[in-house]
Amino acid sequence: MANPTSAQMVEHLRRANQVAQTALTQGHHPFGAILVAPDHSTVLLEQGNVDTLNHAESTLMRHAHAEFEPSFLWGCTLYTTVEPCVMCAGAQYWANVGRLVYGISERQLLRMTGSHAANPTLDVPCRYIFDHGQKAIQVWGPIAAVEAEIVALHEGFWRS
């Protein structure tokens, strides 16, 4: 199973951040996720955050699971602006998506949001979740090349 290049990772994370910007303009939290096919080029699905229970990643995983076969999804990559929380990492695991690339860490998000009532962040790395499963999900992140772009959306949102 070939892996995405660094350039592909940056390109797709920037697209996920555009999805997050759209979610923000629609009045939602600034999180965005996309699912990319095994060719590392074709964007199959996009999803912004909906609410505190329907995160971009978990909602995207439910749609992907309904639309594609598990064997196909294993070759796909989930790109997300922020490291998936416990719920979203679990959704990825159960949907059978074999790769993950995220822009900034959950811990970095926690530093920005603090104890914000709208985002009671669970400080549990997604790698910890995947390491306790039976699937060898590959993970890349955080990706420094897009950090400032992603952080800019969040700093503006959580301060307002």
Side-chain angles (χ1 to χ4, degrees), residues 21-84:
Q21 176 64 58
T22 300
L24 181 61
T25 61
Q26 294 172 347
H28 304 294
H29 294 172
F31 298 97
I34 64 171
L35 182 67
V36 175
D39 67 4
H40 304 298
S41 298
T42 306
V43 176
L44 300 169
L45 298 169
E46 299 181 341
Q47 181 66 53
N49 203 65
V50 179
D51 57 35
T52 57
L53 186 58
N54 295 290
H55 294 181
E57 303 89 345
S58 61
T59 301
L60 182 72
M61 290 297 97
R62 284 193 299 278
H63 291 300
H65 182 264
E67 191 168 332
F68 302 105
E69 292 295 320
S71 59
F72 175 77
L73 288 172
W74 185 249
C76 293
T77 306
L78 171 63
Y79 287 86
T80 182
T81 52
V82 178
E83 179 179 10

Side-chain angles (χ1 to χ4, degrees), residues 101-119:
V101 179
Y102 65 87
I104 66 170
S105 70
E106 181 81 359
R107 186 158 288 161
Q108 187 169 0
L109 176 66
L110 178 61
R111 284 193 300 267
M112 285 187 283
T113 62
S115 61
H116 199 290
N119 193 52

